Amino acid sequence: MGYLIRGARLADPRTGQTDACDILIEGDIFAQIALAGSIDVAGHEVLEADGLIALPGLIDVHVHLREPGFSHKETIATGTQAAAAGGFTQVCCMPNTSPVTDTPEVVRFITHEAKRHGFATVHPIAAMTYGLKGEALTDFGALKKAGAVAFSDDGRGLQSAGMMKRALQLSREQGMPIAVHAEDETLSAGGHLHDGAVAHSLSIPGIPTEAETTMIARDILLAQATGAHVHMCHVSPETAVAAIREGKRRGVRVTAEVTPHHLLLTEEEALTKGAAAKVNPPLRAATDRRACIEGFLDGTLDIVATDHAPHTPEEKARSIPEAPFGFTGIEISLPLMYTAFVQSGLLSIAELAARMSWRPAQLFGLPGGFVAAGQSADLTLLDPSEVRKVEPDSFRSLGKTTPFAGRKLTGWPVATFYQGRLVYDRVYTQGEV
Ligand SMILES: [Zn+2]
């Protein structure tokens, strides 16, 4: 028993090809992939997928699942259901939970809880320093053994260059990346929006681009000195894109992610959306946005990550200075990227699959990222003809705030298979699984 998915165009991030295929799923793995019309077996549920695009299950290396500690904002159950609805089968969650993910016990709690719910694989990213305080490094070896895939103090920059250098040396010994939230607090403190025209007009203190880029430049130098892999989270300024491009040119092991919101929005959003557009790092100037697009297209910014950061509607209803940073994003990342980059002809669908699945798997040492016989059957079906508005009230996530609310997007996920099970489905059973 299993599924025979017939006639979907399968985007292969490894070859760049997109061919109409039949995909046979048996148990929790892909049993056979062949050109459309060539698999003929009995006893499987046949799903006609003519007109749909099949992608390897998407992978988001930067999400906040909020559990343990903040389950009023999100839980591992709701966050992974949201992931499935967005076409994601693996996510890496950041350690700014309560308690902080700085011990093997918390790492194991998260992976166990995710397995219990069964919507997506959750790979914890462990804290670099205890309590995210920037004072003492955690036990990298023990955290890796418990299942952590990277280290990060995301939400805060590690202010001490000396401690960062030591962390890079230790992460290199473990063969794991450090994911950098780049923020020099002596430059960013008190800021709420990009330090630019909009913040000035609203008389709200700004966060300058150099608060981010000085730390990115510092950590590229430290990665060069240590030979470690440094991964830059949610890159936003033009100057940071240039620094990463230069670091790569010099052969430093620096990789980077960019969010859909930094690719598609600017500081102007705060004028009409208020705190719904408040995020850290902030939405920046139009020149920064253009540089992010260029950097994404030329590969300087390797992958897409959402920085899915749910808060309660009440928290995000506050004024800009009083509201927390961040908004929800995992359920609309694929249609945002499909509309802006594939429909417009800037990227092929196979290249987008590379940036949202295959490359993230490579950078973080995760399984999957491509569809092949014998692999875990993680698959996303996308309908390239579906046009729909973003309706936050329908999100599985407990976070209902996004500056993209109401935006009309093309190319939505319609079914997600995770380890051979249909965990999200809007076409075949006409209901929720
Ligand atoms: Zn961050």
Side-chain angles (χ1 to χ4, degrees), residues 62 64 94 96 152-157 180-183 233-234 257 280-281 307:
H62 192 142
H64 298 269
M94 286 299 180
N96 58 342
S152 180
D153 274 3
D154 184 54
R156 294 193 63 189
V180 170
H181 172 107
E183 179 176 352
C233 295
H234 42 50
E257 71 196 31
N280 190 17
D307 193 7

Side-chain angles (χ1 to χ4, degrees), residues 81 84-86 388 396 413-417 422-426 433:
Q81 280 178 64
R388 188 150 61 84
R396 271 76 177 162
V414 292
T416 305
F417 295 84
L422 196 48
V423 292
Y424 174 71
D425 171 28
R426 288 186 27 247
V433 180

Side-chain angles (χ1 to χ4, degrees), residues 193-209:
L193 299 172
H194 170 63
D195 188 21
V198 171
H200 300 167
S201 75
L202 298 172
S203 299
I204 288 175
I207 300 172
T209 56

Side-chain angles (χ1 to χ4, degrees), residues 61-85:
V61 301
H62 192 142
V63 304
H64 298 269
L65 296 179
R66 303 301 191 201
E67 201 182 352
F70 303 103
S71 51
H72 55 293
K73 295 173 189 274
E74 190 80 293
T75 65
I76 290 166
T78 58
T80 51
Q81 280 178 64

